[in-house]
Amino acid sequence: SVVPEKGQPAFPKFSTSWVVDPANSCRFGPETVKFAHDLFEGLKEDHIAEVAVVCQPGVKDNGPFNDGKIWAMQWGNYVRLGDKKDRRGGVFLIIPDAPAGKDRIVVERSVWNYQYTALDYWDTMESAAGYANYGQFNEALELIAREANEKLREVVKNPQIQ
C-alpha cells in the first residue's frame, strides 16, 4: 500500500470526480468542478490520459524526496491513476496553504505520459499559480482543466490502444 512520506498529510480518497477537495479547502464552485470534471472525463474516454486535480493543504517541501511532486506522484499511485492499458496519468496538486515563495501548484505525470512534458505544462502551472496565490482557486482550476485538455489532445499521438 502506498503511503505519504513522513510529515505529509494523508492521501484523500478518489471519489467520482476528477477534482478532489474533500475538505473544501479550495472552495471550488460546483460549476467549475463540473467543467473540469467533464473535460478530464473526455480525456479518459478518448484514451488520452487520466488527469486529476487535488486540493490538499499541509503538503510541505521537506526536500527533493519529500515534497509536493513526490506527494502528487504517490497519490496518483495510491488511486491507480492511469488507464490499465496505456497508463497515462497526471496530477495537478494545489496546495492552498503553501508559504510565500513555495510552489502552490505542482504537476506530476506518469512516466508513460512522456509526450506531455514540462515545456507543455509549465505555462499552465505558472498561470494557475498566479490565480492560486491570490486565493482564486476556481480560476486556477478552470485554467488547468482547459489548458491541460487542449495541450494533451495536441501532444498525445495515437491514443487508442490496439
Side-chain angles (χ1 to χ4, degrees):
S1 169
V2 180
V3 296
E5 296 296 325
K6 184 176 180 171
Q8 299 292 12
F11 295 133
K13 300 232 183 293
F14 182 75
S15 62
T16 58
S17 175
W18 296 109
V19 179
V20 180
D21 184 11
N24 198 29
S25 299
C26 284
R27 302 171 309 281
F28 295 132
E31 302 84 18
T32 309
V33 169
K34 182 177 180 346
F35 171 79
H37 172 79
D38 289 349
L39 288 178
F40 295 148
E41 185 65 20
L43 289 171
K44 178 187 185 222
E45 289 173 358
D46 293 341
H47 300 280
I48 293 171
E50 289 186 357
V51 178
V53 173
V54 180
C55 178
Q56 179 64 54
V59 176
K60 296 179 180 37
D61 182 352
N62 296 326
F65 301 107
N66 185 0
D67 63 3
K69 286 186 75 61
I70 298 298
W71 190 95
M73 176 193 68
Q74 290 176 333
W75 181 84
N77 291 336
Y78 171 74
V79 300
R80 298 178 188 213
L81 195 66
D83 182 88
K84 288 180 182 179
K85 291 182 181 177
D86 61 37
R87 300 184 285 193
R88 283 187 295 269
V91 177
F92 284 84
L93 170 62
I94 300 176
I95 308 168
D97 60 348
K102 296 293 183 182
D103 292 334
R104 183 147 297 174
I105 303 220
V106 176
V107 181
E108 186 58 33
R109 60 176 181 71
S110 69
V111 295
W112 301 105
N113 201 359
Y114 60 87
Q115 294 159 313
Y116 188 54
T117 69
L119 293 174
D120 299 312
Y121 61 72
W122 184 261
D123 287 342
T124 300
M125 187 175 67
E126 288 292 301
S127 296
Y131 285 119
N133 287 338
Y134 291 97
Q136 297 174 325
F137 298 113
N138 278 303
E139 291 81 356
L141 174 58
E142 185 177 329
L143 183 127
I144 289 167
R146 186 178 58 251
E147 291 190 7
N149 177 63
E150 289 173 8
K151 190 53 82 169
L152 280 162
R153 289 183 181 282
E154 177 184 314
V155 301
V156 174
K157 306 298 181 209
N158 304 316
Q160 293 295 333
I161 301 300
Q162 304 303 333

